[in-house]
Amino acid sequence: MTPRKRLELNVYAPALVRDDGRTLAVVRGVELALPGLRLEWELDKEGRPVEVPRREAWLAEAATRGKLPLLCNGDESYPVTISGLRRFASASAGGQPQFQVHAKLPLDAPVITAASTVLEAVTEGARAYWGQATPDAAAVDIAYQIAPTPEGPPSPRRGLPALKLFQNIRSPEIPYYLGWLNFWSAAAARAIGFPDPARDAEWLSRARRTASGGWVVQLTEAPLDLDDPSHLDALKRAYERFPGIGGRLVP
């Protein structure tokens, strides 16, 4: 059986402070973006879905520990999951602790249509610095831009640039890497120099503002597929345009 393709979403936000309501906002935002979806189950030790009876209180208690425990939709044939964890200061940009949200969704027509809305919902709910959503196949290649090799530095595939490790980036507002859909908060956009009307016509044609004043920027019309030369070229052009991403240069 062919494995189901997935859309992977990662969002980076300030660390949770007790229960500040952000975890519930993230979960409800995803549900609103995908009508009919309910994220009301956790997984037991055998990996089977178990309904969470008092989800709001459950999320509030977990938030005091800096977490969003894994929630799913309870459908093993069409799994949607979301979780969040604390990134310690020693492993985060600017030496500041962060809250990272991770979600996985089937890469099918309804999710592709709603993907930018899902990303916006998570980033706005988390009050994120930045975030991205990318098909899992492309995400593997992108991970090689950061992952150290046994010999030392990263060894990126497909001619993509090597990026700094998260803890070596000077500010949490600087995105660590690019994806198919990219959220940049107003602060992140300023940090990388976006938008510049003279240079960003390509990106502005597939960009929109968010309620908080950030941007959702889509690199390619179809989900990013790095086996497609035009998609690979688009990703490389974006890295060339925004050298601050990944801590390579200060724009």
Side-chain angles (χ1 to χ4, degrees):
M1 184 171 64
T2 303
R4 184 189 294 272
K5 294 180 180 180
R6 311 281 288 172
L7 183 70
E8 296 195 1
L9 181 150
N10 280 288
V11 166
Y12 300 86
L16 295 175
V17 180
R18 299 180 295 279
D19 174 29
D20 55 13
R22 285 188 284 153
T23 57
L24 182 59
V26 164
V27 171
R28 284 180 171 168
V30 175
E31 292 175 335
L32 288 171
L34 291 166
L37 176 70
R38 297 297 297 170
L39 295 168
E40 296 180 331
W41 287 262
E42 59 178 328
L43 298 178
D44 65 16
K45 293 180 180 179
E46 285 71 43
R48 296 172 300 199
V50 179
E51 190 169 2
V52 176
R54 296 175 61 245
R55 187 182 71 174
E56 187 168 337
W58 184 81
L59 285 170
E61 187 281 326
T64 65
R65 295 181 280 114
K67 296 176 60 178
L68 192 173
L70 188 143
L71 277 174
C72 68
N73 60 337
D75 185 349
E76 295 180 73
S77 67
Y78 190 85
V80 176
T81 62
I82 190 165
S83 61
L85 53 80
R86 178 184 175 90
R87 292 184 63 92
F88 291 101
S90 59
S92 298
Q96 299 180 31
Q98 294 185 19
F99 176 53
Q100 179 182 356
V101 181
H102 180 64
K104 291 185 178 181
L105 306 94
L107 188 65
D108 61 6
V111 168
I112 291 169
T113 299
S116 65
T117 306
V118 172
L119 179 61
E120 181 177 357
V122 175
T123 53
E124 294 286 292
R127 302 172 207 158
Y129 298 119
W130 68 279
Q132 58 81 37
T134 302
D136 52 1
V140 171
D141 281 308
I142 291 168
Y144 272 82
Q145 295 179 261
I146 301 168
T149 64
E151 294 74 29
S155 181
R157 298 173 170 179
R158 303 179 186 266
L160 293 170
L163 308 175
K164 288 186 177 181
L165 295 174
F166 299 167
Q167 60 266 32
N168 295 329
I169 294 176
R170 62 181 175 82
S171 167
E173 289 83 9
I174 296 174
Y176 303 158
Y177 53 92
L178 287 163
W180 172 45
L181 299 170
N182 301 273
F183 168 78
W184 300 326
S185 66
R190 286 193 298 271
I192 63 172
F194 179 84
D196 180 338
R199 294 189 288 170
D200 292 336
E202 176 179 2
W203 319 121
L204 286 168
S205 70
R206 291 189 295 272
R208 59 183 175 81
R209 299 299 298 268
T210 69
S212 65
W215 293 87
V216 174
V217 180
Q218 182 171 330
L219 293 194
T220 54
E221 289 295 336
L224 190 66
D225 176 1
L226 298 183
D227 289 328
D228 181 331
S230 67
H231 285 206
L232 181 59
D233 286 346
L235 182 58
K236 289 179 178 178
R237 285 197 305 276
Y239 276 116
E240 290 172 1
R241 166 61 187 94
F242 303 110
I245 290 177
R248 295 168 296 145
L249 291 171
V250 178

